[in-house]
Amino acid sequence: MAVSSKLLYAPDYGVPQKRSRLFFIGVKDQAFDFHSIIKTHGPDTSQDYVTIKEAIGDLPSLHNGEEKNQYTQAPFSSYQQLMRANTSNNQLTNHKAPKHPNSTIERIKTTTPGQPMYPRFKQRIRLAWDILSPTQVSGGIRPQFQLGHPSDNRGLSIRERCRIQSFPDH
């Protein structure tokens, strides 16, 4: 078996987060040609990188601790259409805002979108609509506080985090 490897940049393939991943592909009796993987987004393609707005901008706005189970608007980007494929009856799942203390709400509220929320933790930003997300991680202590929503004064819902990682809504 021949094994090939290559580091790929997720935004080049339509994922709205700055994330590089090392891929290993093994094929019996031949080497895999990574040049056969066609970059779909970004420089030297016909499509721009997918922004936060294109990824989650169709999801309903939420207040602290609020949950919504229905889409309230139609998708307005091809990425949103892709994420909504195979959903039924306008049902939305896992779209619940974290329940923050007032101090966290105030911190997010006073942070300019695209800027760090904490002086010592530069990677914890309030997202902006027109950027790529920093790498989304799963698990950990209070993972929903890692990034602030671009326009609501809260952290991200599980659905928003899944969308940014390119997991479909179903």
Side-chain angles (χ1 to χ4, degrees):
M1 175 171 299
V3 177
S4 303
S5 64
K6 185 170 184 177
L7 191 65
L8 298 175
Y9 187 52
D12 289 342
Y13 304 95
V15 179
Q17 65 173 315
K18 297 176 198 170
R19 185 173 201 154
S20 294
R21 282 289 180 245
L22 180 60
F23 285 82
F24 293 90
I25 298 179
V27 181
K28 187 176 182 178
D29 297 327
Q30 67 182 36
F32 180 80
D33 180 13
F34 274 95
H35 291 94
S36 66
I37 298 176
I38 299 168
K39 182 176 148 179
T40 59
H41 291 73
D44 303 321
T45 73
S46 62
Q47 297 185 74
D48 292 331
Y49 288 136
V50 177
T51 65
I52 297 299
K53 182 116 181 147
E54 293 166 320
I56 66 171
D58 65 317
L59 296 174
S61 180
L62 298 172
H63 295 290
N64 192 34
E66 182 180 24
E67 181 174 13
K68 292 192 178 166
N69 298 308
Q70 297 281 319
Y71 299 104
T72 56
Q73 66 175 325
F76 56 84
S77 75
S78 58
Y79 186 84
Q80 293 164 6
Q81 291 171 342
L82 178 65
M83 293 296 102
R84 286 192 187 194
N86 301 316
T87 59
S88 61
N89 298 328
N90 211 35
Q91 291 294 318
L92 176 62
T93 60
N94 299 311
H95 191 51
K96 181 177 182 179
K99 180 73 171 140
H100 296 299
N102 288 337
S103 60
T104 300
I105 294 168
E106 196 58 34
R107 180 173 298 277
I108 296 169
K109 184 178 183 177
T110 59
T111 301
T112 302
Q115 297 300 310
M117 294 182 288
Y118 302 91
R120 290 182 54 207
F121 303 103
K122 302 290 186 200
Q123 75 279 16
R124 293 185 179 189
I125 69 167
R126 181 174 192 174
L127 295 174
W129 287 120
D130 61 346
I131 66 170
L132 290 168
S133 173
T135 298
Q136 291 281 332
V137 296
S138 298
I141 299 171
R142 296 186 183 155
Q144 67 271 32
F145 298 155
Q146 177 194 14
L147 300 168
H149 189 274
S151 58
D152 294 344
N153 299 319
R154 60 174 177 82
L156 301 178
S157 72
I158 296 298
R159 174 58 45 224
E160 290 161 337
R161 294 177 68 220
C162 287
R163 281 254 189 117
I164 291 169
Q165 294 180 73
S166 73
F167 291 107
D169 291 359
H170 70 279

